[in-house]
């Protein structure tokens, strides 16, 4: 009988791991434990320990697995870089995890494309990294996030557990009272991502400097020509928002140190947009603006002259698609006119471009747009705006239906495309079948069906990597899941009316 030959280590050969057998919860737990240790070390000022723990995290297989999972499952996961490589299969993803190493890594140039800006119509440069570079950025972002969470307390852009709803609620609490500040400095940083100083980033960003330097100087390819990058961070990279957040961190403390309580100075930041409140226009002009300009100049940044202005609260201002204004002393937040106009134009264009599409297909195109926009504004005073959206969408659909059946009367068109549901008598719908062959009505979502509910702002000092706030975030997540279930029940009633009757029995 021949003896079994063992590997050189003396241990039995382990079963090869496949993408479908990965225990993601174990990987997340391991990474979260290291992130909590990084945050603790950074709070205690132990820079050496922070670097050691970051090194341990970026060389962890669990972190590499999560990095590859993130870049392959997000919306840009199917968009290739200059190498035209996309990780689609499970085998490609496993190989990508094994190849994700620091030694010998050299980033490829970015693929430059241009996308139109929402309001101005101008083109915005967007840089697309190769898949390997995206995975490396996602990996190092895991080590940078615990430090990023200790940025300015009232910075909300692209940070874990924070959203635009928190930023709007921050504006409301700072401006809603009778004795609140009356003037607002609307700030916008000119070409923010394109002009950040590389030397400042390399000196102040607490991460692997060698890797960061390679990303910053990788260059980009446009029209088959390679262009160098001596300033800025590429728009489109995973790690760029975090770099910007840390770059702008410290502005809040600088403002607090230079002002008094009676100045009523409050800051709210979301990426490169921010607002600063003040008791008077003189405070904002003579004290606040010079501080902001000096703070930005150190980082190679400058305010945009065209978009930076001082506004009285009675005139109102737009921030993150929301208009914030006082009417006879009462602060009201509602969807901004420009945001509403752009949304309705998108709906009209979608309907016009699907003139011959099936009713079912048109509804499936419109529902995510209407539901997403309404959910975004569901925490502010949007009831009247939602009614206006319903009316505008109805008129566009009625024109669409009449154009398809120009020789039919209004009654025939109504019976074909609209039905009654309770007190609603003009419900745009289509008859469909589910997997079991049962017929049901696929209905168009109406904006007024989305419930309006006040958003509870996150605590400014809350940190997801601090054990003291673990219960706070668990409760907050539970409330969010309950709210999501309520919205899901609404959606299921809209899609399959028989769902409600079966589940209520």
């Amino acid at each position: 009988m021949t003896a079994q030959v063992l590997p050189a280590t003396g241990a039995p050969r382990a079963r090869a791991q496949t993408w479908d057998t990965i225990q993601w919860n174990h990987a997340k737990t391991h990474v979260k434990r290291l992130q909590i240790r990084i945050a603790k070390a950074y709070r205690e000022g132990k820079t050496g320990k922070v670097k050691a723990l970051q090194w341990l995290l970026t060389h962890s297989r669990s972190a590499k697995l999560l990095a590859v999972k993130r870049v392959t499952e997000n919306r840009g996961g199917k968009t290739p870089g200059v190498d035209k490589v996309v990780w689609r299969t499970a085998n490609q993803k496993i190989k990508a995890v094994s190849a994700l190493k620091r030694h010998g890594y050299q980033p490829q140039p970015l693929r430059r494309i241009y996308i139109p800006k929402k309001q101005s119509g101008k083109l915005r440069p967007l840089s697309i990294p190769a898949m390997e570079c995206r995975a490396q950025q996602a990996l190092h972002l895991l080590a940078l996030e615990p430090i990023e969470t200790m940025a300015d307390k009232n910075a909300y852009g692209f940070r874990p557990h924070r959203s635009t709803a928190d930023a709007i609620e921050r504006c409301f609490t700072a401006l809603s009272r009778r004795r609140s500040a009356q003037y607002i400095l609307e700030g916008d940083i000119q070409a923010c991502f394109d002009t950040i100083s590389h030397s400042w980033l390399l000196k102040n960003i607490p991460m692997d400097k060698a890797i960061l330097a390679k990303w910053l100087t990788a260059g980009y390819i446009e029209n088959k020509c390679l262009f160098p990058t001596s300033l800025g961070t590429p728009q489109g990279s995973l790690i760029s928002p975090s770099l910007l957040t840390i770059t702008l961190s410290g502005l809040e403390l600088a403002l607090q140190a230079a002002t008094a309580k009676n100045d009523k100075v409050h800051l709210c930041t979301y990426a490169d947009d921010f607002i600063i409140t003040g008791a008077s226009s003189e405070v904002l002009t003579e004290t606040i603006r010079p501080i902001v300009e000096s703070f930005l100049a150190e980082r190679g940044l400058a305010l945009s002259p065209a978009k930076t202005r001082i506004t009285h609260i009675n005139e109102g201002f737009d921030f993150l698609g929301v208009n914030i204004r006082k009417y006879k002393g009462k602060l009201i937040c509602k969807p901004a006119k420009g945001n509403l106009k752009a949304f309705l134009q998108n709906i009209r264009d979608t309907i016009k471009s699907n003139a011959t599409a099936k009713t079912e297909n048109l509804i499936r195109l419109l529902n995510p747009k209407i539901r997403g926009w309404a959910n975004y504004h569901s925490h502010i005073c949007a009831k009247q705006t939602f009614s206006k959206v319903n009316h505008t969408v109805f008129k566009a659909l009625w024109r669409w239906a009449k154009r398809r059946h120009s020789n039919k009367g209004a009654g025939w068109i109504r019976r074909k495309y609209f039905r009654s549901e309770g007190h609603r008598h003009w419900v745009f719908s289509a008859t469909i079948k589910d997997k079991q062959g049962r017929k049901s009505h696929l209905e168009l979502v109406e904006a007024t069906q989305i419930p309006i509910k006040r958003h509870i702002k996150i605590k400014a000092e809350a940190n997801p990597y601090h054990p003291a706030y673990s219960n706070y975030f668990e409760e907050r997540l539970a409330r969010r899941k309950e709210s999501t279930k309520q919205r899901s029940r609404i959606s299921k009633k809209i899609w399959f009316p028989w769902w409600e009757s079966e589940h209520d029995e």
Side-chain angles (χ1 to χ4, degrees), residues 347-363 365-366 392-406 412-413 416-418 428-430 444:
I347 294 295
R348 294 190 192 97
D349 292 343
T350 302
I351 294 174
K352 288 181 181 179
S353 61
N354 288 274
T356 59
K358 290 183 178 180
T359 309
E360 174 188 347
N361 294 341
L362 178 61
I363 292 175
L365 286 173
L366 293 177
T392 305
V393 173
F394 167 77
K395 289 196 300 183
L397 289 172
W398 184 254
R399 286 193 297 268
W400 174 85
K402 287 180 67 177
R403 198 178 299 117
R404 287 163 68 100
H405 307 284
S406 56
W412 186 93
I413 293 175
K416 180 173 179 60
Y417 293 104
F418 298 88
F428 189 74
S429 63
L444 182 74

Side-chain angles (χ1 to χ4, degrees), residues 24-69:
W24 293 109
N25 288 336
H26 290 178
K28 291 177 182 178
T29 301
H30 176 68
V31 171
K32 184 67 176 289
R33 188 183 301 116
L34 284 173
Q35 288 177 320
I36 291 174
R37 292 177 64 190
I38 292 172
K40 181 182 178 183
Y42 186 79
R43 284 195 304 271
E44 296 173 351
K46 299 177 180 178
T47 56
K49 189 173 183 180
V50 169
K51 291 180 181 179
L53 289 170
Q54 286 182 323
W55 181 278
L56 186 63
L57 177 57
T58 54
H59 288 72
S60 162
R61 184 171 177 82
S62 296
K64 293 178 181 180
L65 286 168
L66 293 178
V68 172
K69 177 180 172 65

Side-chain angles (χ1 to χ4, degrees), residues 304-315:
S304 171
K307 297 181 180 179
T308 302
R309 61 180 70 89
I310 295 176
T311 310
H312 194 277
I313 190 59
N314 291 340
E315 299 174 9

